[in-house]
Amino acid sequence: MGDGSSLQNNGSNNKQKKRKKKSSSNKKKKNKMTGEQSYAAKSVNEWVSLDSPTSIVSSSSSIDDFGFQLKSCGNRIADKLVFELHSHSICSDGFLSPTALVERAHRNGVKVLALTDHDTISGIPEALEAARKFGIKIIPGVEISTIYTSRGESGAEEPVHILAYYGSSGPKRLDELETCLAYIREGRYHRAKSMLSKLNNLNMPLKWEHVTKIAGNGVAPGRLHVARAMVEAGHVENLKQAFNRYLYDGGPAYSTGNELHAEEAVQLICRTGGFAALAHPWALKNPLAIVRRLKEAGLHGIEVYRSDGKLAAFSDLADTYDLVKLGGSDYHGRGTHDESDLGSVNLPVMAVHAFLKVARPIWCDAIKDILQNFVEEPSESSLERLTRFGKVRNLKAGITMNCNMDVIDMCLSSWLTNDERKGTDFEALSLKLSRLDICQSGIQVPVVS
């Protein structure tokens, strides 16, 4: 009996081992990259690793269910590359400074972070400085406040937010972009005062000083700042109640400001060398008409992925209009249990690759434009513009270099892949730039005989 029981147990154990082995084999098969995914991952990794030693992605690299485990280091698989493409800081209506936002992103495993504050890029330089400590790549971005007006219905309009993503060199025609953003921010002050007036008529008085104090010095107040003031004044229990009852689009205390028309914002982003994407389309009343119109204006992408997964309806809409499918947490740092955290949106490797495939040529053209302007006007102010978003921002902070190509190479090596740098246009620009004497004491243009 003892021998029979032992054989039975051994047989059972062998079956369990076979099941585990089969399960493990299936899991490995499921997690093995396809050739297309491997190529996409390698391409994405090359771009992410421009500022650091290159990691090679082999076809045997494993991936998670969403298809994004990129780097293979010998026999060890490196950390997953997490992209966070929608976040806010205290420079608009977020609760964290750009530095604190980057630190939180690092803790959450984010490797690429787009700071997309409302109508301002003022937080980008601080985010870049903080990101260098953690090896995080920053995508300079902005979320532009716009209004969509229906052509068929007189006066029918709704707010639409357009995300702009720029390359490592930042926007071209920067003055044009900043002038438009300043105009929108000025309107936010008028808008906030109008909301306070409406709240006062609803017997919920708020002091202007209270709202501006919450917003912070130099920050244009938004709805979230008004909502926080309402909570602190005891008019509502929480932020959600403030929005649901009074501040929602078209609500009793809602007001508009100096928003651009949605099509104008998309065209502005295109003119300034950015990738334009429609933010949170699920919040729109008429997404189909808006997407159709914005695609005509040059829209490149649309948010489809959220922390709770992909929204099929908007994925289909993206397919219909040939738009890149994106997503991000829209993190503000409110600290509420229902807020999606940084890095919580799983973007498939193929989605990220599609994003960069469209965005990188746009960013390359912007870099060419910026460098060409520098060649034509080699002044200290244009040098400051050239290095504002690059690694050589601290050129004047005592770093000694061999002027000329050292500065150029530092910019181009952190902005472009090797293949992009080998383009005829960039080689010609590099030759022109090499003839400029770029030094800490200023810029000299040598006389060439």
Side-chain angles (χ1 to χ4, degrees):
M1 290 230 1
D3 290 341
S5 176
S6 176
L7 288 170
Q8 195 174 27
N9 287 337
N10 286 338
S12 176
N13 289 337
N14 287 335
K15 285 181 181 179
Q16 286 179 1
K17 286 178 181 177
K18 285 180 181 179
R19 279 197 297 267
K20 285 181 181 178
K21 191 173 182 180
K22 188 176 181 181
S23 174
S24 176
S25 175
N26 288 338
K27 190 174 181 181
K28 285 180 180 177
K29 195 176 291 184
K30 178 184 175 184
N31 283 350
K32 189 174 181 179
M33 281 190 176
T34 65
E36 190 178 17
Q37 286 175 327
S38 179
Y39 172 79
K42 186 175 181 180
S43 177
V44 172
N45 187 51
E46 181 185 17
W47 177 77
V48 173
S49 304
L50 282 174
D51 297 346
S52 58
T54 305
S55 298
I56 303 299
V57 181
S58 69
S59 59
S60 62
S61 292
S62 66
I63 54 176
D64 63 10
D65 290 341
F66 251 76
F68 211 174
Q69 186 89 28
L70 290 186
K71 295 191 282 186
S72 175
C73 304
N75 295 323
R76 181 178 64 84
I77 299 299
D79 292 338
K80 185 170 71 170
L81 282 182
V82 178
F83 275 61
E84 172 56 76
L85 297 180
H86 196 161
S87 66
H88 298 275
S89 76
I90 57 172
C91 294
S92 62
D93 60 350
F95 284 69
L96 300 180
S97 68
T99 297
L101 187 77
V102 169
E103 290 172 350
R104 185 176 185 88
H106 173 67
R107 290 198 300 272
N108 288 4
V110 173
K111 302 299 180 184
V112 179
L113 173 68
L115 177 56
T116 53
D117 275 317
H118 293 283
D119 309 316
T120 182
I121 55 174
S122 63
I124 302 295
E126 182 183 334
L128 285 166
E129 285 295 332
R132 290 189 184 102
K133 302 174 187 175
F134 302 110
I136 290 178
K137 193 176 189 75
I138 296 294
I139 295 178
V142 60
E143 185 172 4
I144 301 179
S145 304
T146 79
I147 288 289
Y148 169 81
T149 304
S150 174
R151 288 171 180 162
E153 302 173 44
S154 178
E157 59 183 31
E158 65 173 304
V160 174
H161 288 183
I162 311 294
L163 291 160
Y165 300 110
Y166 293 98
S168 299
S169 65
K172 65 179 181 181
R173 303 173 72 165
L174 181 61
D175 290 344
E176 180 184 358
L177 176 65
E178 291 195 316
T179 297
C180 287
L181 295 180
Y183 172 74
I184 298 171
R185 289 197 302 274
E186 182 184 353
R188 291 173 78 88
Y189 285 94
H190 300 305
R191 177 194 188 207
K193 287 181 178 178
S194 176
M195 285 191 281
L196 262 58
S197 177
K198 290 181 178 181
L199 287 169
N200 185 59
N201 292 335
L202 294 169
N203 296 317
M204 287 181 284
L206 292 175
K207 291 183 178 180
W208 175 246
E209 294 76 16
H210 187 186
V211 175
T212 55
K213 182 179 179 181
I214 290 172
N217 187 35
V219 176
R223 276 190 287 182
L224 184 60
H225 303 122
V226 174
R228 288 173 61 186
M230 290 174 71
V231 173
E232 292 179 12
H235 297 316
V236 291
E237 293 179 7
N238 50 50
L239 297 175
K240 188 174 182 179
Q241 191 178 93
F243 276 89
N244 288 347
R245 292 186 181 180
Y246 305 104
L247 301 177
Y248 62 88
D249 296 345
Y254 176 76
S255 291
T256 58
N258 290 348
E259 296 87 353
L260 300 179
H261 287 293
E263 298 98 320
E264 292 175 352
V266 170
Q267 291 162 358
L268 171 68
I269 294 166
C270 293
R271 282 198 308 275
T272 54
F275 177 104
L278 178 62
H280 33 71
W282 45 86
L284 300 174
K285 298 172 186 175
N286 195 6
L288 180 59
I290 291 171
V291 167
R292 185 189 303 118
R293 184 100 65 85
L294 295 187
K295 174 63 178 180
E296 293 172 0
L299 189 72
H300 302 108
I302 181 174
E303 287 193 318
V304 166
Y305 296 98
R306 305 197 307 186
S307 58
D308 55 359
K310 181 173 72 171
L311 297 184
F314 296 102
S315 179
D316 292 343
L317 193 57
D319 289 335
T320 299
Y321 289 97
D322 192 25
L323 296 170
V324 177
K325 301 173 187 179
L326 299 175
S329 67
D330 195 8
Y331 181 78
H332 286 72
R334 298 187 184 104
T336 57
H337 70 280
D338 59 341
E339 181 178 29
S340 298
D341 206 348
L342 289 168
S344 62
V345 176
N346 290 308
L347 287 175
V349 62
M350 298 307 295
V352 175
H353 181 247
F355 166 54
L356 292 176
K357 189 176 180 181
V358 174
R360 278 167 60 171
I362 296 170
W363 296 342
C364 280
D365 285 341
I367 292 170
K368 290 175 193 173
D369 191 81
I370 291 167
L371 290 175
Q372 185 60 49
N373 288 338
F374 181 63
V375 167
E376 294 171 0
E377 187 188 344
S379 63
E380 287 197 50
S381 61
S382 58
L383 175 62
E384 174 65 23
R385 164 66 192 91
L386 178 68
T387 60
R388 178 174 175 181
F389 297 94
K391 290 185 75 173
V392 290
R393 280 184 62 246
N394 50 2
L395 173 67
K396 298 177 183 178
I399 294 180
T400 302
M401 292 185 289
N402 291 325
C403 300
N404 297 339
M405 292 307 296
D406 282 350
V407 177
I408 297 159
D409 286 342
M410 283 184 71
C411 286
L412 296 184
S413 64
S414 64
W415 293 347
L416 302 168
T417 63
N418 288 332
D419 287 342
E420 288 166 343
R421 292 181 67 181
K422 290 175 183 176
T424 305
D425 291 343
F426 282 112
E427 287 186 345
L429 277 170
S430 292
L431 182 61
K432 291 178 182 178
L433 285 163
S434 68
R435 293 171 182 160
L436 300 179
D437 207 7
I438 306 170
C439 300
Q440 289 171 284
S441 58
I443 301 173
Q444 300 170 349
V445 185
V447 177
V448 180
S449 57

